[in-house]
């Protein structure tokens, strides 16, 4: 179990984490929460339906990490569209963002909070660290949070494709990006083994 998730009988997953690993994941999840930001302010009328009809932003975020976490919904997969198509895609993306981004942000916040709370609830074992046990639902939320953390780190490292990832393996130890690269690769391993536990 050390270093990777294993399935639990009846569903869910477990992983043994040492104190440093717990601290790293928790710190990254807190940073992700801070980056995503708080939810929309409560409506002054205390209308329970107000949140359902609250509109989100219509423009993409300026931060490159948030842009990666909340990409435009419409784009030309074949390359650069013509001016008219680009305007249409921008308008469609803006409309889609306005009605979905608040919910997407709330979901990412919820998943990051599940990570933090489950780590905070761990009981240390004698030799340090702890065994994290997740229910099937917690496993899915952890999977979402791990994906978001990797997207955030990948964005900071300017990883666009598999070729960029291959270059990371060859970075010299003195490169200042090395700790972030190690976290990115380690979280990828955790994510991969967690996916495996969720497969039927």
């Amino acid at each position: 179990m050390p270093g990777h998730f294993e399935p639990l009988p009846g569903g869910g997953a477990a992983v043994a984490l040492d104190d440093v690993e717990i601290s790293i994941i928790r710190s990254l999840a807190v940073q992700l929460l801070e980056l995503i930001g708080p939810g929309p302010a409560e409506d002054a009328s205390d209308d329970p339906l107000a949140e359902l009809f609250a509109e989100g932003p219509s423009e993409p975020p300026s931060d490159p990490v948030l842009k990666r976490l909340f990409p435009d919904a419409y784009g030309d997969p074949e390359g650069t569209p013509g001016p008219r198509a680009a305007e249409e895609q921008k308008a469609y993306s803006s409309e889609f963002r306005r009605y979905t981004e608040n919910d997407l942000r709330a979901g990412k916040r919820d998943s990051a909070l599940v990570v933090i709370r489950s780590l905070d609830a761990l009981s240390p074992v004698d030799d340090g660290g702890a065994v994290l046990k997740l229910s099937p639902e917690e496993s899915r939320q952890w999977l979402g949070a791990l994906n978001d953390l990797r997207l955030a780190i990948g964005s900071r490292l300017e990883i666009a494709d598999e070729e960029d990832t291959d270059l990371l393996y060859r970075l010299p130890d003195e490169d200042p990006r090395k700790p972030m690269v190690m976290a990115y690769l380690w979280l990828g391993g955790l994510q991969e083994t967690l996916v495996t536990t969720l497969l039927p």
Side-chain angles (χ1 to χ4, degrees):
M1 185 186 306
H4 63 275
F5 279 97
E6 292 185 1
L8 288 173
V15 63
L17 298 170
D18 64 31
D19 292 336
V20 173
E21 292 168 333
I22 292 168
S23 175
I24 290 170
I25 296 172
R26 190 184 189 288
S27 173
L28 290 171
V30 167
Q31 290 175 52
L32 182 65
L33 272 179
E34 290 170 354
L35 184 65
I36 292 171
E42 284 187 32
D43 188 82
S45 67
D46 291 327
D47 180 358
L49 297 177
E51 192 175 319
L52 284 175
F53 299 104
E55 291 186 8
S58 58
E59 293 297 318
S62 58
D63 184 289
V65 173
L66 288 175
K67 236 181 208 174
R68 188 91 173 260
L69 291 172
F70 305 103
D72 279 335
Y74 296 91
D76 186 357
E78 300 300 316
T80 307
R84 182 176 173 162
E87 279 302 311
E88 285 180 357
Q89 289 171 7
K90 184 177 178 184
Y92 294 150
S93 290
S94 175
E95 192 73 1
F96 186 82
R97 183 179 297 282
R98 196 155 52 105
Y99 293 110
T100 61
E101 188 167 314
N102 284 345
D103 287 341
L104 290 172
R105 282 181 184 256
K108 290 180 186 301
R109 264 192 302 276
D110 290 346
S111 294
L113 281 170
V114 165
V115 168
I116 293 166
R117 289 176 180 147
S118 58
L119 292 174
D120 287 348
L122 288 175
S123 300
V125 292
D126 294 337
D127 58 347
V131 174
L132 174 70
K133 293 183 179 180
L134 303 173
S135 69
E137 178 56 28
E138 289 170 329
S139 296
R140 285 186 284 280
Q141 288 182 293
W142 260 76
L143 189 59
L146 288 172
N147 186 59
D148 290 341
L149 291 174
R150 290 192 77 237
L151 284 173
I153 294 171
S155 180
R156 292 288 187 235
L157 291 170
E158 299 179 350
I159 296 171
D161 54 33
E162 196 62 39
E163 193 173 299
D164 293 336
T165 305
D166 292 340
L167 293 174
L168 297 179
Y169 287 103
R170 296 192 290 275
L171 282 180
D173 289 342
E174 59 274 9
D175 191 300
R177 297 171 294 171
K178 191 73 172 191
M180 235 193 314
V181 168
M182 297 306 291
Y184 177 81
L185 297 173
W186 171 60
L187 291 173
L190 283 177
Q191 183 181 14
E192 190 176 324
T193 59
L194 185 52
V195 167
T196 303
T197 70
L198 294 172
L199 293 175

